[in-house]
């Protein structure tokens, strides 16, 4: 398969989400998942000569095969409801941020009701305090889904490699709960769309530094979408803390179709690429006919959000090793927070993926 360049799908609307802040251990700090990320990535990819196209509008049908309608409607409306509530005037908070999440332990089997107050509803579909909703968040998150579905369209039409410059990212979003700077699960949407286009088995390979708990959860009981991830060991104290362990291998029909490779803090190129090879081998063994790459570049040595220490060269090697699977591929942007290097990291990975 000849694919010297990727087609890059983009949309200005992906810049409309401005996180404003993230609240971690009760302290509000400036957000890290900034619009500038997308600007830097696009500049690097244009510089590398990739063809860039605008996304096209898609309806909600694939989105609603991945996410609970109630999550989607919540995200669509919650900022407006928040601004119409007393909260902004009362405390000066103009972003949706939860103060109470109804955990399984709190409800102890009682139904999860829809709360009346929007400041309570804020915790109904969100599991952390770092993923604030502002005025442009819904439009950007929904635009990222369109970017992703447009990249799938290109691959289904015969392009060997398309890259979705999706922002905000998505791999932390489960069927009905968002968090981790993510609102809608773009990679899961890509996998579902490839299934719907006729690929009987689809693989998602997640190289973001963090475990893609959302994508894992969406497909955990399904054999038709294999999920493999290499990420910093959640047991060593890293987000998402509760998932991403090696003994999570899938359930029911999905038993054996989930592979997690947790990595020690400080993991360098050799061990990271070795883990990637294991994931790639599993993809081949599952007989997948299409590939989604959850392309976070936050495992890079310079990245402030993870302790994994991967070099630029290793990202290019990772791309090459995945290209060797010789599958139609949709790469979807996930994390990556070091503004001065993330564009080049994505560019070298795509160079590798382009084979
Ligand atoms: C898509 C993605 O890479 N999401 C990762 C979200 C993990 N964020 C964890 C943040 C932990 C605390 N970071 C402190 C930053 C202070 N501003
Ligand atoms: Zn990440």
């Amino acid at each position: 398969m000849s694919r010297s360049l990727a087609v890059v799908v983009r949309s200005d609307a992906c810049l409309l989400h401005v996180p404003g802040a993230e609240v971690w251990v009760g302290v509000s700090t400036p957000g890290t998942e900034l619009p500038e990320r997308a600007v830097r990535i696009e500049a690097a990819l244009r510089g590398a000569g990739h063809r860039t196209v605008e996304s096209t509008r898609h309806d909600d049908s694939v989105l609603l095969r991945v996410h609970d309608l109630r999550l989607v409607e919540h995200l669509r409306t919650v900022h407006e409801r928040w601004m119409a509530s007393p909260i902004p005037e009362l405390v000066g908070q103009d972003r949706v941020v939860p103060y109470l999440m109804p955990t399984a332990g709190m409800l102890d089997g009682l139904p999860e009701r829809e709360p009346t107050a929007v400041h309570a509803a804020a915790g109904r579909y969100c599991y952390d305090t770092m993923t604030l909703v502002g005025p442009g968040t819904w439009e950007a998150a929904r635009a990222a889904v369109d970017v992703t579905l447009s990249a799938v369209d290109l691959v289904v039409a015969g392009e060997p490699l398309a890259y979705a410059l999706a922002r905000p990212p998505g791999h932390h979003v489960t069927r009905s709960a968002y968090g981790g700077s993510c609102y809608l699960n773009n990679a899961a949407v890509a996998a579902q769309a490839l299934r719907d286009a006729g690929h009987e088995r689809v693989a998602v390979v997640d190289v973001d530094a963090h475990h893609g708990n959302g994508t894992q959860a969406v497909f955990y009981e399904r054999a038709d979408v294999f999920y493999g991830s290499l990420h910093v060991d959640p047991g060593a104290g890293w987000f998402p803390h509760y998932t991403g362990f090696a003994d999570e291998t899938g359930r029911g029909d999905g038993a054996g179709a989930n592979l997690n490779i947790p990595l020690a803090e400080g993991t360098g190129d050799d061990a990271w690429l070795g883990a990637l090879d294991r994931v790639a081998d599993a993809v081949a063994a599952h007989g997948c006919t299409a590939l989604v790459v959850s392309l976070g570049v936050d495992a890079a040595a310079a990245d402030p959000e993870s302790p994994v220490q991967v070099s630029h060269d290793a990202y290019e090697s990772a791309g090459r090793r995945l290209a060797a699977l010789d599958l139609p591929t949709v790469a979807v942007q996930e994390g990556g927070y070091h503004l001065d290097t993330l564009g080049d990291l994505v560019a070298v990975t795509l160079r590798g993926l382009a084979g």
Side-chain angles (χ1 to χ4, degrees):
M1 216 183 284
S2 148
R3 49 182 191 187
S4 60
L5 293 171
V7 184
V8 173
V9 186
R10 50 92 64 210
S11 166
D12 277 340
C14 285
L15 304 178
L16 294 173
H17 165 63
V18 179
E22 53 191 35
V23 179
W24 187 61
V25 297
V27 178
S28 186
T29 55
T32 45
E33 199 288 284
L34 300 167
E36 180 71 8
R37 298 177 57 248
V39 174
R40 299 289 186 104
I41 293 169
E42 183 168 342
L45 296 184
R46 285 187 188 273
H50 299 289
R51 183 159 69 91
T52 301
V53 300
E54 296 294 320
S55 64
T56 58
R57 183 75 196 160
H58 291 69
D59 68 25
D60 284 350
S61 54
V62 184
L63 181 63
L64 293 175
R65 285 162 66 70
V66 165
H67 290 305
D68 189 323
L69 174 64
R70 293 172 300 177
L71 168 65
V72 173
E73 290 310 310
H74 176 82
L75 285 169
R76 197 193 301 276
T77 58
V78 70
H79 187 259
E80 206 177 305
R81 290 164 58 208
W82 184 273
M83 294 312 288
S85 83
I87 293 286
E89 205 174 321
L90 202 60
V91 296
Q93 177 58 269
D94 65 355
R95 316 246 151 189
V96 179
V97 52
Y99 88 102
L100 181 152
M101 285 85 154
T103 61
M106 178 198 182
L107 294 173
D108 202 22
L110 291 173
E112 283 190 49
R113 300 174 202 270
E114 294 296 332
T116 323
V118 67
H119 56 282
R124 172 72 173 80
Y125 300 97
C126 181
Y127 59 76
D128 68 31
T129 60
M130 306 183 304
T131 312
L132 279 52
V133 177
T137 301
W138 165 255
E139 208 178 326
R142 187 60 185 77
V145 169
D146 280 332
V147 163
T148 302
L149 286 169
S150 302
V152 171
D153 290 345
L154 287 162
V155 165
V156 168
E159 283 291 340
L161 174 63
Y163 166 78
L165 210 182
R167 180 190 172 271
H171 73 149
H172 293 305
V173 189
T174 69
R175 191 162 177 81
S176 61
Y178 71 95
S181 307
C182 301
Y183 302 88
L184 296 171
N185 195 323
N186 307 307
V189 165
Q192 183 64 54
L194 287 163
R195 281 288 293 112
D196 294 349
H199 288 282
E200 295 292 330
R201 276 176 182 246
V202 175
V204 180
V205 171
D206 191 332
V207 302
D208 187 280
H210 305 98
H211 178 240
N213 59 300
T215 313
Q216 168 174 297
V218 167
F219 299 116
Y220 205 60
E221 298 190 343
R222 288 172 52 171
D224 60 333
V225 178
F226 171 86
Y227 177 75
S229 178
L230 47 153
H231 48 263
V232 62
D233 184 0
W238 292 88
F239 187 90
H241 301 282
Y242 293 90
T243 70
F245 295 89
D247 63 1
E248 296 158 17
T249 55
R251 193 193 303 125
D253 289 349
N258 196 88
L259 175 62
N260 286 328
I261 306 187
L263 304 167
E265 296 179 12
T267 291
D269 291 352
D270 290 350
W272 189 73
L273 288 171
L276 182 77
D277 282 342
R278 282 180 57 201
V279 173
D281 288 348
V283 169
H286 275 79
C288 298
T289 59
L291 174 65
V292 176
V293 180
S294 259
L295 179 50
V297 292
D298 43 6
D303 198 281
E305 293 292 327
S306 107
V308 185
Q309 301 284 321
V310 175
S311 71
H312 277 64
D313 286 353
Y315 273 96
E316 182 163 1
S317 292
R320 263 199 312 261
R321 289 168 197 223
L322 292 173
L325 289 167
D326 202 20
L327 299 174
T329 299
V330 178
V332 181
Q333 186 62 42
E334 301 284 2
Y337 305 96
H338 187 249
L339 290 175
D340 287 341
T341 57
L342 92 177
D344 199 42
L345 288 164
V346 174
V348 297
T349 311
L350 284 188
R351 184 161 70 203
L353 272 171

